Amino acid sequence: MDLQSAVQQRIDELVETDLGIQVAAYRHGELVVDAVAGDGVRPDSLFYAASTGKGASATVANVLVDRGVLDYDRPIVELWPEFGAHGKEKATLRHVLTHTVGLPALPPDTTRETLLSKTEYLAAAEPWWEPGTKLTYHAETFGLLVGEIVRRATGRTITEVLREIAEPLGIAGDVFFGLPAAHRDRLVTLVEPAGADPMFAMLGELFAKVMPPSAMPRAAYLNQPENLAVEDPSSGVLNARGIAKLYAGLIGEVDGVRLVRPESVPVITGPSVTMPDELLGNPATMALGYAIGRLGSTAEESPASFGWPGMGGSVAWADTRTGVTFALTRVLFDPTGSPSAVEIGNLVAKTLC
């Protein structure tokens, strides 16, 4: 059985619990898996994909570095003078991309509607540590910081720059930081599993120091398309085919398009920082804007892989050794994660990597 058929067969089985699934995989720029299952789920359907969208914001930043618009080690204050408050004058884009800048926390009055207004707060904030010396996952502030740095350098929003980067790949309508009104009818309705409230509450307590409960994504909120209109570069509204193709364009050539020079790929995707996560406690190995390691394995087990999973069960990753990229989205918005993303990702990796 070929890989396309094997993936399709398995997600047809998994749809009983996952309710709807998209899977896409590229190898050396060729689409080798494009499978969907579930009522109303099409290859072009759009899913709220939480932190899987960080892969897109990181890619925007890395493309701009490759083009000479940004520099990993240029102090942020040269673009954003207010950012130098409280000893942050030496903080750089590299610190932001590796989650070592020390600004993981949003103010307690933050809601998803007011996210974009919090960049001034971050500029004026005192860092938790000297930038570059420690690490913790910047769940929501990552995208705000990257987005503002991009805006300061280009005079355009990160959404506008993403569109420019995505258009040559034919995916400008498949990866968003905020859902345009014209695409609302493509948004898939998410479903939370029964009994999920205690797990959401536990996550709220875990992230209480960095994210107020009002900013925690829940399906009832996310299923109202107008609520996803606000640009949030820490999240994504996307489909599997679009984000997998964006990664494919980052690590190689797709349809005659390369997003960065070949010599830049190992710089962007190789290990940059390895430290314990100060908030979550786990060891973390970061590339420049991505986590090293395939979902379901460790950085040591899959050192050539990098990407981001998203709360609820989405994931996208790439493997530079084999030229494979993979993405999965699903209807079941489960705060415990996605066994399906691990299983199908491993099936693809075992076959292609």
Side-chain angles (χ1 to χ4, degrees):
M1 184 183 297
D2 64 16
L3 181 60
Q4 169 71 26
S5 299
V7 169
Q8 186 66 62
Q9 177 177 303
R10 185 58 183 137
I11 66 171
D12 285 341
E13 297 166 349
L14 289 169
V15 78
E16 182 176 344
T17 53
D18 284 28
L19 307 178
I21 305 176
Q22 287 177 331
V23 178
Y26 282 77
R27 186 181 190 185
H28 299 309
E30 178 186 356
L31 183 64
V32 293
V33 176
D34 189 16
V36 298
D39 291 342
V41 178
R42 308 181 307 271
D44 71 334
S45 296
L46 296 171
F47 286 73
Y48 174 79
S51 290
T52 299
K54 286 184 173 70
S57 50
T59 297
V60 169
N62 284 310
V63 169
L64 291 180
V65 171
D66 193 67
R67 293 178 178 178
V69 178
L70 290 174
D71 186 293
Y72 295 124
D73 299 310
R74 180 184 181 185
I76 295 169
V77 292
E78 294 185 15
L79 292 170
W80 185 1
E82 302 90 338
F83 192 80
H86 294 291
K88 301 196 301 295
E89 64 277 355
K90 294 182 180 179
T92 66
L93 176 61
R94 184 183 301 275
H95 296 143
V96 172
L97 293 177
T98 57
H99 295 249
T100 62
V101 72
L103 294 170
L106 292 167
D109 63 342
T110 305
T111 63
R112 299 196 67 80
E113 292 85 355
T114 62
L115 275 173
L116 284 181
S117 67
K118 302 307 177 183
T119 53
E120 291 183 9
Y121 168 87
L122 294 174
E126 183 175 354
W128 285 17
W129 54 73
E130 180 184 346
T133 61
K134 295 182 180 180
L135 176 153
T136 199
Y137 178 51
H138 287 49
E140 278 294 346
T141 59
F142 175 86
L144 293 177
L145 292 168
V146 172
E148 184 63 12
I149 291 167
V150 167
R151 189 183 73 82
R152 297 271 177 158
T154 66
R156 296 179 293 162
T157 67
I158 192 170
T159 288
E160 293 170 328
V161 179
L162 173 64
R163 186 184 308 119
E164 176 191 293
I165 290 169
E167 280 178 346
L169 293 170
I171 56 170
D174 294 316
V175 184
F176 300 103
F177 297 127
L179 179 64
H183 294 275
R184 288 180 179 179
D185 61 340
R186 297 168 57 200
L187 184 68
V188 169
T189 299
L190 302 176
V191 177
E192 292 180 3
D197 284 350
M199 180 56 67
F200 277 109
M202 188 188 78
L203 287 172
E205 292 177 5
L206 179 64
F207 285 98
K209 291 182 178 180
V210 297
M211 183 190 302
S214 54
M216 180 71 69
R218 295 293 301 264
Y221 179 90
L222 301 170
N223 288 334
Q224 301 176 56
E226 62 274 15
N227 290 340
L228 297 179
V230 176
E231 178 184 86
D232 179 9
S234 286
S235 300
V237 181
L238 51 83
N239 53 49
R241 193 163 55 185
I243 192 68
K245 194 171 187 179
L246 186 69
Y247 273 96
L250 177 66
I251 66 170
E253 184 175 311
V254 187
D255 299 337
V257 176
R258 282 184 179 270
L259 296 182
V260 299
R261 295 165 296 165
E263 59 268 28
S264 297
V265 175
V267 175
I268 293 167
T269 65
S272 183
V273 170
T274 299
M275 294 181 183
D277 188 302
E278 295 292 317
L279 180 65
L280 303 178
N282 58 284
T285 301
M286 299 298 304
L288 292 174
Y290 320 88
I292 296 288
R294 189 177 73 248
L295 182 68
S297 69
T298 66
E300 292 75 24
E301 292 167 338
S302 52
S305 296
F306 67 98
W308 278 116
M311 178 183 175
S314 61
V315 70
W317 53 259
D319 187 286
T320 56
R321 181 176 58 85
T322 59
V324 172
T325 71
F326 171 82
L328 179 147
T329 61
R330 66 175 189 164
V331 169
L332 190 67
F333 191 72
D334 190 343
T336 64
S338 175
S340 302
V342 175
E343 179 187 346
I344 303 301
N346 285 343
L347 172 61
V348 170
K350 181 179 179 180
T351 305
L352 300 179
C353 294

